[in-house]
Amino acid sequence: MSTTPNRDRKDALSALRWPLRLTWAGMLAEGLVQALWPLMSVTLLVLAALMMGLQDIVSLEVVWGVAVVAGLAWLAALVHALRRFRLPSKGAAMARLDRSLPGRPIQALLDDPAIGGNDPAAMAVWHAHKARMAARAATARAVPADLRVSRRDPYALRFVAVLAFGMALLFGSVLRVASVAEMAPGRGGLAQGPVWEGWAEPPRYTGKPTLYLNDLKAGPLSLPAGTLITLRFYGDLGALTLAETVSGRTADVPAASDPAQDFAVVQDGSIGIDGPGGRRWDVTMLADAAPEVELLGPPEVSALGEMRLPFAARDDYGVEAGEARITLDLASVTRRYGLVVDPDPRPEMIVPLPTPIAGDRAGFEENLIENFSKHPWANQPVEISLSVLDSAEQIGQTAPSAMILPGRRFFDPAAAAVIEMRRDLLWSKSNSTRMAQVLRAVAYRPQDLFRSEVTALRLRDVINRLEIHARYGLSDEIQEDLAEDMWGLAIELEEGVLADALERMRRAQDRLNEAIKNGASKEEIAELMDELRRATEEYLQQLQRQQAQENEQNGDPQQQGEQGETMQMTQDDLQRMMDRIQELMEQGRMAEAEEALRELQEMMENMRVTEGQPGQNGQSPGQQAMEGLSETLREQQGLSDQAFRDLQEQFNPGAQAGESQGNEGRNGGQGRGESHEGQNGQGQGEDQQQGQNGQQGEQAAPGQGQEGLAERQQALRDELRRQQQNLPGQGTPEGRAARDALDRAGRAMDDAEEALRNNDLAEAIDNQSQAMEALREGMRSLGEAMAEQERQQQPGQGNTEQGGRANRDPLGREGESAEGGLSDGGRIGEGPDATDRARRLLDEIRRRSGQTERPEQERDYLNRLLDRF
């Protein structure tokens, strides 16, 4: 019976072999940590100090003192480790493992019965107890080691040592540890000397590296201004001395034999170290030049008063910041009306200059873009000076330049009066009484001045507030509030809140007329002309809708068109007149432009649009939109072809030169020379210009480059944006699909323009392909929207003829279909109006062929059409 318990005991203990070994290993690690953490902390601290080079920046005595203290601490830690460390025994590991189990099963397995060995019943109970303990011991797991030493290290000195060593690994060097060996007795070098070390550290903003003077040979040496020279002498005091003339120091100069020498280079001179191993350099100081800034031209002003002032700045190491200071040139102010009184004190304006966000700031060109329209000095003489600052805090500035501070100009008389009173209010608070009187005179008959009662009430409220505060005092806050209200009132008077298209067109004509009289800038004229074009297009659409309703009510449209003394004019004629007005204004012929504008106003007052000719060549708005998109698609295709040819020329310029010339010859008569008046809102002025540049119609000129292609791409994007504004089919799924497709085409055109400006022709061609695909998809959706609208208006009738007319060009030929290809046939078509259309087309061709100002290639093409038909 004793054999079986012993065998069970061996089996149970053999199952505990690995938990017992792991527990013993944990006890060994625990003993090592508990014993060695002071020794390791001291070692890491000493290594961190040596790797950071602290021994090189303190005196030798300090190094020796610290070394003695560190040595004693290391010995104490070693003694502590030897005393604390004990190799764990197997019994101790088994006891720890047994304590981690409930009931101490391992000890129970090792026990023998004290009594009852001859009692079978007692032994049966004993064997059952042993079996239960053996099963419990089989679940034993290794006891983890307790590595915590926080009770013995309450100040966490071990973590300080680890942190210091980590910093030394990042910012120090293991090579510096070797320098302490030279301080040991008997090594001859630094301890018995004499030796020296030196560094020349240029200012950070120069971007130049630190020089180790021991590696530099004696002779000429060029250093930037402000370079910090650091010298250290080791050995007997006085064995090495310094002689320098670059610091310019006259007071508080340390002794020439001082072991630590620090000074900055502020002038040319020499640096000499006299003694064993001495050296001398002739230093040339590289002066830090002051930054420079200059104006590159007069300010450019947009129609809304935004100023764009070009300037250039440069510095040898880079410009840090800059600002523009604007002061009122009171001596040049025309002192009349509200400007007679002295102005209230107002500080000069300080505007930060833009600088490049990334890249080199040593030299750059930027534009100061600000809008001073709301400032009291707007449109008044001022002096502006630019200043820039470099890293050495040197300042460069321009001489004050006289200029008129740009601001928005108001052409409506009422708006101009309100803005003038606003200026007087901000000029001096004493003008408030006079302002109230003037504004009351302006608003004497509001029904003749204002187009809405709300605007008149707003002005009356401003007048009442002015009178009240003029009597009881005008604070700065009230002054600013009144100025803001008057600005909003002037904007409303200038731009209006007109909903009627005729009133909006008259409004645009009046503003343009005022601009002509007041000598507006080119930017203002261009914006006002665009506004007039948009208002005129809206008026024509409204007139067309009204006339269609009248024709439905009164009967025969032809009979109604003959009634009354009215003038008939096509959109081509209207476009030519507006182009002529803009051309005259750009040439400075303001009197002729004013007369032409007056004629345009008279014609617009008497103009009517006959049914069947709402726009170009009897086309509906939907047909105009379809034809405009077809023209845009052709333009985009030509632009993509030119980009592809330029991409070929980059890889094989010689082979592409002849092909490019041949393409120019072929496209000369088939390019933009075939464009006609009224196409997409383009008039005779553009038609003639495009005809004269027929060789550039479908491709860029040889010297045009990617910048020219980018400009053409931007113009095409602007034209697409204009076409999207008048796109029919609103509210229908097809119309929304067409607009979404055109939005994608616009984004692809923007990406193509950016790629062209970056000279990435391959990317530009991909984006242009996406734009053309989106245009085709938009045209398909637009065609479906037009067909759906036709079915709703005329049930039972097809839209074949309508769709065919939508794809014809101004000469009656079939243009590109909605799918981007050419539609079948080139005939004018069949129907009751086919003969009339053919006659109109032949008359148009004859008229254009007789215009001698057109290019010869275009007239030859028109003559060939006459000979053919």
Side-chain angles (χ1 to χ4, degrees), residues 71 298-300 422 593 667 773 776 795 824 837:
E300 302 175 3
R422 178 184 180 274
N667 294 331
E773 181 62 30
R776 295 188 183 99
D824 295 333
R837 281 204 311 275

Side-chain angles (χ1 to χ4, degrees), residues 346-364:
R346 190 173 293 273
E348 64 180 356
M349 286 191 291
I350 301 178
V351 182
L353 294 179
T355 54
I357 298 177
D360 187 15
R361 293 190 181 184
F364 60 89

Side-chain angles (χ1 to χ4, degrees), residues 19-78:
L20 185 61
R21 290 180 179 179
L22 293 177
T23 302
W24 182 86
M27 294 178 63
L28 178 61
E30 180 180 333
L32 290 174
V33 170
Q34 296 287 347
L36 297 179
W37 73 264
L39 182 64
M40 296 301 297
S41 298
V42 174
T43 304
L44 292 178
L45 283 174
V46 173
L47 285 177
L50 294 178
M51 292 170 65
M52 294 294 290
L54 299 180
Q55 71 278 10
D56 297 331
I57 61 177
V58 297
S59 63
L60 184 62
E61 290 76 8
V62 174
V63 174
W64 276 104
V66 173
V68 171
V69 174
L72 293 176
W74 195 85
L75 290 175
L78 179 61

Side-chain angles (χ1 to χ4, degrees), residues 173-189:
S173 174
V174 180
L175 301 178
R176 292 183 177 180
V177 179
S179 64
V180 75
E182 302 296 333
M183 301 179 184
R187 297 305 297 264

